[in-house]
Amino acid sequence: DVEKNERLDKYVIPWRIVTHYSYGDLEEQFNLFQNGQIFYLGNIPLSQRAAVQKQANISDELATHTYYFNLENPLFKDARVRRALSMALDRNEIVNSLTYAKAATGLIPYGVDDANGKGDFRETADKAGALISTAADVDGAKALLKQAGVTSGKFEITVKNNEADIAVAKYVAGVWNELGFKVTLNILSGTRATSVEMVENEVVKTKIFDDNYNNAYKNGDFDVIAVDMNMLTANAFNALSVFATDFSGGGVDMRSKNYDVQGHITGYASDAYDELIEKVFAAQDSAERTSLMHDAEKMLMEDMPVIPLCYLQDAYLINTKVLSGVKNTVLGTRDFTGMKMKNYMAYKEIILAEEEAEAAETVK
């Protein structure tokens, strides 16, 4: 406020937040934190998670690590095959490998509202009985596969190039290989390239980042793909409705005379499920609407176009001797607006000195 002659820096303390986005060695990042060179660590390496579990700030992330089937693959046409692949997995084993997670009993994670915003959708569903078992039933899976007439086949699991997703995929692939399938991993990450073109007789170079994982997902170029199904709101409808054709968000085929709606990326299509989601959408009473959504989740888990594996948790480390006032949002992200830093002027001087030294070295 100029008229009150307020200080210009009144609302900008601390002076700077330096954020490291690194695809490098997480162990190196962890060591920087342990040595007091950085004060907040948002990604804890798998090898260190159990050791620092008591120190870590852990919260539910409103996300479910899920495997999506491509139902265009003949192997996955029969729902019994999809259920069998789910039955064979020990979700507790997956949780043990990740440390910061909970075994999935359905698609919707903890933290989602139940009727009238009272209670938790997942807890209410689980009281009536878990939709999927957290323990493995390999014998049951083999019997179901035999019943479906599918006991072998070859396919890939597509995952992002990060250690957590890869660790889960290696476990899942191992289990499915033991069932008689030949399962390999397709690990995808982004690629950087430079395109060169002539514009008005001048060479113009454009840096391009091509996300191979997202391209594979959008193009349906996968057999099974690992997806972190994130809740956009604390309402189960946003996660359940996308499996209904008219709610998929997949657009309309303008080339067809019927203007066919593009369904879910898995290729899942069910008239019964579409009808149920329409009822949810039309319901005026909150309790009725929520009850219908529980029915929808149950139907989805019976048809199993996707396999929920675990509910993800966010975990971070913070040096409380230096930082305070950091808060969590309901979506499992950080809110730094109330953060305070002790002796920040001293750290500011260190950073400025380092930057001056780097600049001088660059000149040399």
Side-chain angles (χ1 to χ4, degrees):
D1 190 325
V2 177
E3 292 182 0
K4 292 183 180 179
N5 198 29
E6 288 185 328
R7 290 167 56 98
L8 292 177
D9 65 351
K10 183 174 180 181
Y11 298 107
V12 296
I13 295 174
W15 164 70
R16 179 191 295 181
I17 296 178
V18 180
T19 307
H20 247 310
Y21 291 101
S22 174
Y23 294 99
D25 189 348
L26 291 181
E27 295 286 348
E28 182 181 350
Q29 296 279 322
F30 180 79
N31 290 334
L32 288 173
F33 177 84
Q34 293 292 76
N35 295 334
Q37 293 172 267
I38 57 176
F39 311 122
Y40 168 89
L41 186 67
N43 196 353
I44 304 171
L46 287 181
S47 62
Q48 304 293 343
R49 290 184 178 184
V52 298
Q53 191 168 7
K54 292 183 179 180
Q55 299 170 242
N57 295 268
I58 305 170
S59 60
D60 291 332
E61 204 171 11
L62 274 180
T64 307
H65 190 61
T66 311
Y67 277 13
Y68 285 18
F69 288 106
N70 185 343
L71 300 189
E72 294 298 316
N73 188 324
L75 272 176
F76 308 131
K77 285 291 186 183
D78 194 321
R80 290 173 295 183
V81 174
R82 305 192 295 267
R83 287 201 301 270
L85 292 174
S86 174
M87 288 171 62
L89 301 175
D90 187 340
R91 287 164 172 81
N92 298 306
E93 187 72 22
I94 293 172
V95 168
N96 289 339
S97 69
L98 297 180
T99 305
Y100 310 133
K102 296 177 180 177
T105 52
L107 180 65
I108 305 301
Y110 292 101
V112 175
D113 293 337
D114 210 48
N116 297 313
K118 296 179 181 178
D120 185 277
F121 187 95
R122 178 80 276 125
E123 291 177 359
T124 300
D126 288 348
K127 285 177 183 176
L131 299 179
I132 50 180
S133 174
T134 59
D137 181 2
V138 176
D139 290 338
K142 289 180 178 178
L144 202 53
L145 287 171
K146 187 176 181 180
Q147 188 184 100
V150 178
T151 55
S152 64
K154 181 180 178 181
F155 62 91
E156 287 184 334
I157 301 174
T158 297
V159 297
K160 290 182 180 179
N161 188 16
N162 67 66
E163 63 170 1
D165 288 8
I166 293 172
V168 173
K170 284 182 176 179
Y171 163 75
V172 173
V175 172
W176 289 350
N177 280 326
E178 289 179 4
L179 289 178
F181 296 95
K182 186 176 181 180
V183 184
T184 54
L185 302 191
N186 181 26
I187 302 170
L188 297 180
S189 58
T191 58
R192 290 177 174 82
T194 302
S195 69
V196 179
E197 59 180 319
M198 295 293 293
V199 178
E200 296 181 355
N201 297 321
E202 290 188 13
V203 176
V204 177
K205 293 184 179 181
T206 305
K207 290 185 178 180
I208 300 171
F209 181 81
D210 195 13
D211 191 330
N212 295 324
Y213 169 87
N214 278 329
N215 288 340
Y217 175 86
K218 289 186 293 185
N219 296 328
D221 186 17
F222 61 86
D223 298 317
V224 178
I225 190 167
V227 175
D228 288 343
M229 192 285 294
N230 289 279
M231 299 296 300
L232 303 179
T233 70
N235 187 323
F237 186 74
N238 85 74
L240 296 171
S241 61
V242 295
F243 293 94
T245 305
D246 289 343
F247 293 83
S248 68
V252 176
D253 185 356
M254 302 300 289
R255 295 169 297 181
S256 73
K257 294 181 180 179
N258 297 324
Y259 300 105
D260 297 326
V261 177
Q262 302 298 304
H264 191 263
I265 195 66
T266 58
Y268 175 69
S270 164
D271 291 340
Y273 191 80
D274 288 354
E275 183 180 343
L276 185 52
I277 291 298
E278 288 284 0
K279 288 181 180 179
V280 176
F281 184 69
Q284 299 293 315
D285 179 73
S286 177
E288 178 192 2
R289 185 172 184 271
T290 304
S291 177
L292 289 169
M293 286 196 287
H294 283 293
D295 292 341
E297 187 190 32
K298 184 177 180 180
M299 184 182 294
L300 198 63
M301 292 298 93
E302 289 171 353
D303 291 344
M304 198 65 76
V306 299
I307 298 179
L309 299 178
C310 61
Y311 306 127
L312 297 174
Q313 291 182 303
D314 179 73
Y316 65 91
L317 294 172
I318 188 168
N319 187 329
T320 55
K321 294 181 179 179
V322 179
L323 301 181
S324 62
V326 177
K327 296 181 179 179
N328 293 334
T329 70
V330 68
L331 296 176
T333 57
R334 299 293 79 71
D335 181 355
F336 292 102
T337 55
M339 187 183 78
K340 294 182 179 179
M341 184 177 185
K342 296 178 182 177
N343 300 322
Y344 94 90
M345 286 298 292
Y347 291 111
K348 175 180 175 180
E349 291 174 5
I350 293 171
I351 292 173
L352 288 175
E354 289 176 349
E355 290 177 350
E356 288 176 4
E358 288 176 6
E361 188 66 28
T362 301
V363 171
K364 289 180 183 179

